[in-house]
Amino acid sequence: EADIYQTPRYLVIGTGKKITLECSQTMGHDKMYWYQQDPGMELHLIHYSYGVNSTEKGDLSSESTVSRIRTEHFPLTLESARPSHTSQYLCASSGQGSGNTIYFGEGSWLTVV
Amino acid sequence: QKEVEQNSGPLSVPEGAIASLNCTYSDRGSQSFFWYRQYSGKSPELIMFIYSNGDKEDGRFTAQLNKASQYVSLLIRDSQPSDSATYLCAAKDSNYQLIWGAGTKLIIKP
């Protein structure tokens, strides 16, 4: 099972602020993902990476950006937060074993006021 | 558009009964299928995955796959109140992307 750590877990910020959500995994997984999920709603893939220096946009259009400079680290940045960005952000990773199963971090709850 | 369809529920099942959760997928090239459980306010956690036709059992959980019918199911035997959660079905498509269903909310009544 993957160990995936997300910080901060909960954050309230003002409109227009820049925020970076951190995500790190200790299992050496090559693939990492960011999902957005509103309460009671479905998961939406916003970014993914298949390895260092590889990043792709997901199915849901997002104003966020990501980087993958190190295998274990996949931060997500919002340059100018808006109330519409209020949501839960879930980081995940997968490796070669266990059928390429995706494992999730505990999530970061973002509220933009 | 590749899709994974689930009944949103809620599905209400008495404690001790069998809960049956169903999922259909549109991409015939999908090879692996996953069931996750998500408690309210928490992140999804893997229950099990299946890639061969037939049944796969793990404790009280049984996953069933029928590729001809493009159908995956999850059975939960001896349902407990702690099984109350949203269950997410996902299919890994022919491009190795994971396509998620919207989830079925399961309520186990004591």
Side-chain angles (χ1 to χ4, degrees), chain A residues 3-110:
Chain A
D3 291 321
I4 305 175
Y5 307 98
Q6 291 187 238
T7 57
R9 293 289 320 284
Y10 303 92
L11 182 67
V12 179
I13 61 171
T15 297
K17 298 293 187 183
K18 178 179 178 179
I19 176 67
T20 295
L21 303 180
E22 301 287 350
C23 177
S24 295
Q25 50 95 5
T26 61
M27 298 304 290
H29 285 172
D30 50 354
K31 300 180 183 66
M32 296 190 75
Y33 313 83
W34 276 104
Y35 286 89
Q36 185 176 344
Q37 186 182 37
D38 293 329
M41 305 299 286
E42 61 191 287
L43 288 165
H44 291 287
L45 180 67
I46 51 175
H47 295 283
Y48 62 98
S49 167
Y50 283 168
V52 171
N53 295 325
S54 152
T55 61
E56 301 286 345
K57 288 186 180 294
D59 303 323
L60 182 68
S61 174
S62 174
E63 293 161 341
S64 58
T65 58
V66 292
S67 63
R68 189 91 183 275
I69 299 172
R70 303 198 313 268
T71 298
E72 64 272 20
H73 194 215
F74 191 41
L76 180 144
T77 298
L78 279 167
E79 291 292 335
S80 180
R82 296 210 299 255
S84 60
H85 295 138
T86 295
S87 189
Q88 179 181 210
Y89 294 85
L90 291 161
C91 182
S93 72
S94 66
Q96 296 296 325
S98 301
N100 299 122
T101 298
I102 284 181
Y103 297 97
F104 288 87
E106 292 187 307
S108 293
W109 287 92
L110 175 65

Side-chain angles (χ1 to χ4, degrees), chain B residues 47-97:
Chain B
I47 298 173
M48 60 196 308
F49 66 90
I50 186 169
Y51 51 83
S52 298
N53 269 331
D55 296 359
K56 180 181 179 182
E57 186 175 318
D58 184 359
R60 295 187 296 113
F61 299 94
T62 299
Q64 299 175 318
L65 173 60
N66 184 326
K67 290 186 178 180
S69 300
Q70 296 177 240
Y71 178 91
V72 191
S73 64
L74 180 71
L75 303 178
I76 307 174
R77 289 182 300 282
D78 187 24
S79 297
Q80 303 296 311
S82 60
D83 294 326
S84 297
T86 296
Y87 288 79
L88 304 173
C89 173
K92 185 157 289 187
D93 70 11
S94 47
N95 294 321
Y96 303 100
Q97 295 284 0

